[in-house]
Amino acid sequence: MRINKKYSEIIEWVIAIVLIVICWNYSIFSYGSFSPLKEHEQSERSFHYGPSKIVKTIDLDEGKIYLCRYKDWFSADTVKKGIIKWYSGDVGGTPIDYSKQVSYSWSSSSIKENLTITKIYGYVNNPKIAIILFEDENKTDISRYVLDESRMFIFYWKEDNQDNKIKYLKGLDKDGKVIYEEKVIGF
């Protein structure tokens, strides 16, 4: 009688442990990482992209953006901070189109309930371009990015709704002369 009770207790514990492991694997605790960098790397792996070289890390109150390059691709991966863990906001690569002066992409990622981070980022092929400008049609909102040896740029902003203004991406040479201009579609 005593042996059967001991075996039944062991079986109960084994079942309890198996159920805990199954529940843990399918719970919200199984997603995300305890480190923003680990979450970035994990999100790239899940997208079958990378591992990329991080060119720039941008710290936000609600998360981080990793501007990256992988072979002939570029990306700007957003990770957002949860209560305990970090979670992927968006990930994906865009191929560099070497036939264009500037290859760019844009994306938006929800950070909080009514808050989105929108970003436009890319790679500059034309070696004469030293500065990238991002401006609206009224030239009231102008952002400037001085290129470094990576030849990559990023503009980002928080928004709670789309303003739908026409925006332009411009490339300036070292003397400040506009040598590239393109209307940015999608905003």
Side-chain angles (χ1 to χ4, degrees):
M1 200 74 165
R2 187 168 171 92
I3 295 175
N4 288 340
K5 185 176 181 184
K6 189 173 186 175
Y7 284 125
S8 79
E9 287 176 1
I10 291 172
I11 290 172
E12 285 175 6
W13 275 105
V14 168
I15 291 171
I17 290 170
V18 167
L19 288 174
I20 289 171
V21 168
I22 289 171
C23 290
W24 182 267
N25 284 337
Y26 292 101
S27 73
I28 60 168
F29 297 113
S30 65
Y31 302 108
S33 298
F34 290 107
S35 148
L37 183 59
K38 291 291 182 197
E39 180 58 24
H40 160 70
E41 292 168 351
Q42 183 176 310
S43 65
E44 280 191 337
R45 276 194 303 276
S46 68
F47 196 69
H48 306 290
Y49 179 79
S52 60
K53 177 185 176 204
I54 297 172
V55 174
K56 184 174 187 170
T57 301
I58 299 165
D59 292 318
L60 308 168
D61 294 337
E62 308 81 13
K64 292 185 181 285
I65 300 173
Y66 293 103
L67 181 64
C68 304
R69 172 106 188 254
Y70 172 66
K71 296 183 181 179
D72 289 333
W73 296 67
F74 61 90
S75 63
D77 184 15
T78 304
V79 292
K80 52 189 174 180
K81 188 167 177 54
I83 295 171
I84 297 173
K85 289 184 161 186
W86 292 81
Y87 301 93
S88 179
D90 62 344
V91 66
T94 302
I96 297 171
D97 184 346
Y98 290 103
S99 69
K100 295 181 176 180
Q101 292 187 68
V102 177
S103 292
Y104 70 89
S105 185
W106 72 274
S107 63
S108 293
S109 180
S110 175
I111 296 293
K112 289 186 179 177
E113 189 173 316
N114 291 321
L115 183 64
T116 300
I117 296 292
T118 301
K119 56 195 184 249
I120 183 164
Y121 51 95
Y123 181 82
V124 177
N125 296 309
N126 184 341
K128 294 179 183 175
I129 297 175
I131 298 167
I132 293 288
L133 295 181
F134 186 59
E135 64 185 30
D136 65 9
E137 62 189 325
N138 302 325
K139 298 183 181 181
T140 56
D141 187 17
I142 301 174
S143 298
R144 177 183 178 99
Y145 196 97
V146 178
L147 295 172
D148 60 15
E149 66 279 349
S150 73
R151 308 295 298 158
M152 294 182 70
F153 65 91
I154 185 167
F155 299 101
Y156 61 95
W157 59 96
K158 297 176 186 179
E159 58 185 29
D160 31 11
N161 57 15
Q162 298 281 13
D163 60 6
N164 295 322
K165 290 182 184 173
I166 296 173
K167 300 192 189 296
Y168 294 91
L169 202 56
K170 295 181 178 183
L172 283 62
D173 65 10
K174 62 180 166 77
D175 299 322
K177 180 181 171 194
V178 176
I179 57 175
Y180 163 82
E181 182 174 348
E182 187 170 345
K183 185 188 293 187
V184 179
I185 309 294
F187 290 99

